[in-house]
């Protein structure tokens, strides 16, 4: 059974930093691209970032480029999102998501971790 | 990159069929057969319902179907059931960053 468990969320002041982690199990982690998707309270889904299976390629939404860094440790089956220069508008539930087998779709989602940026 | 365009809400009675549209451009929806649809119930993580325009993952009811014409994709739910009430999001691959974009979401109400 595929499981994705996010951690690291919490309350942080504007301008601060936070690192999210996602522990994966139930599949060959090193074979799949992984993604972060966020959802602000009461709002829709917003794509954040993606990383290829070997970590060699990364993608970012314009809203986070230059402030967030996605990475992975295939030896630990773990995905990361380093967030810096955080703003109030980054407040959201952050989901760790596995990419599908053949093309670009998001087939398994974690339960999400809440990040609140507030003074 | 602008979000894909979905109606804010749709509704239908049990047993009826509804269709949710998702309009993009030739750079996303119209350019690739990589449209997917997600269902989200309140307080829950999204769930994949359709991928590659019209493919259903294992375990998803065949009441859910997808299609595409030009720059517009559609999700059809037939034989509406109360448990179908949720928010539905479409998504498409785009070749340039950020790689994936979402629609704004459509709230389905089963009357």
């Amino acid at each position: 059974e595929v499981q994705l468990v996010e951690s690291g969320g919490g309350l942080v002041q504007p301008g601060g930093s936070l690192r999210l982690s996602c522990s994966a199990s139930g599949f060959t982690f090193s074979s799949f691209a992984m993604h972060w998707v966020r959802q602000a309270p009461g709002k829709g889904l917003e794509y954040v970032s993606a990383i290829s299976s070997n970590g060699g390629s990364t993608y970012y939404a314009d809203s986070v480029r230059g402030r967030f860094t996605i990475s992975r440790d295939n030896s630990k089956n773990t995905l990361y999102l380093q967030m810096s220069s955080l703003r109030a508008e980054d407040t959201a539930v952050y989901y760790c998501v596995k990419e599908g087998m053949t093309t670009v779709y998001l087939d398994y989602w974690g339960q999400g971790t809440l990040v609140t940026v507030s003074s | 990159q602008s979000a894909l365009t979905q109606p804010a809400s749709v509704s239908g009675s049990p047993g009826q069929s509804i269709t949710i549209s998702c309009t993009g451009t030739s750079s996303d929806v119209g350019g690739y057969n990589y449209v997917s649809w997600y269902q989200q119930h309140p307080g829950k993580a999204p769930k994949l319902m359709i991928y590659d325009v019209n493919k259903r993952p294992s375990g998803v009811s065949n009441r859910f179907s997808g299609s595409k014409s030009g720059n517009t994709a559609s999700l059809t739910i037939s034989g509406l059931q109360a448990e179908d009430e949720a928010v539905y999001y479409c998504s498409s691959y785009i070749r340039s960053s950020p790689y994936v974009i979402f629609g704004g979401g459509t709230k389905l109400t089963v009357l």
Side-chain angles (χ1 to χ4, degrees), chain A residues 39 44 47 60 65 103 105-106 110, chain B residues 38 40 45 51-52 89 97-98:
Chain A
Q39 186 169 36
Y47 191 76
Y60 298 94
R65 186 177 293 113
T103 60
Y105 55 93
L106 308 176
Chain B
Y38 304 87
Q40 188 178 35
Y51 68 99
D52 292 356
Y89 295 91
S97 202

Side-chain angles (χ1 to χ4, degrees), chain A residues 82-99:
Chain A
Q82 178 68 47
M83 305 184 294
S84 60
S85 302
L86 283 162
R87 308 165 180 167
E89 54 265 36
D90 295 319
T91 294
V93 173
Y94 285 72
Y95 293 103
C96 166
V97 194
K98 172 186 169 293
E99 186 169 300

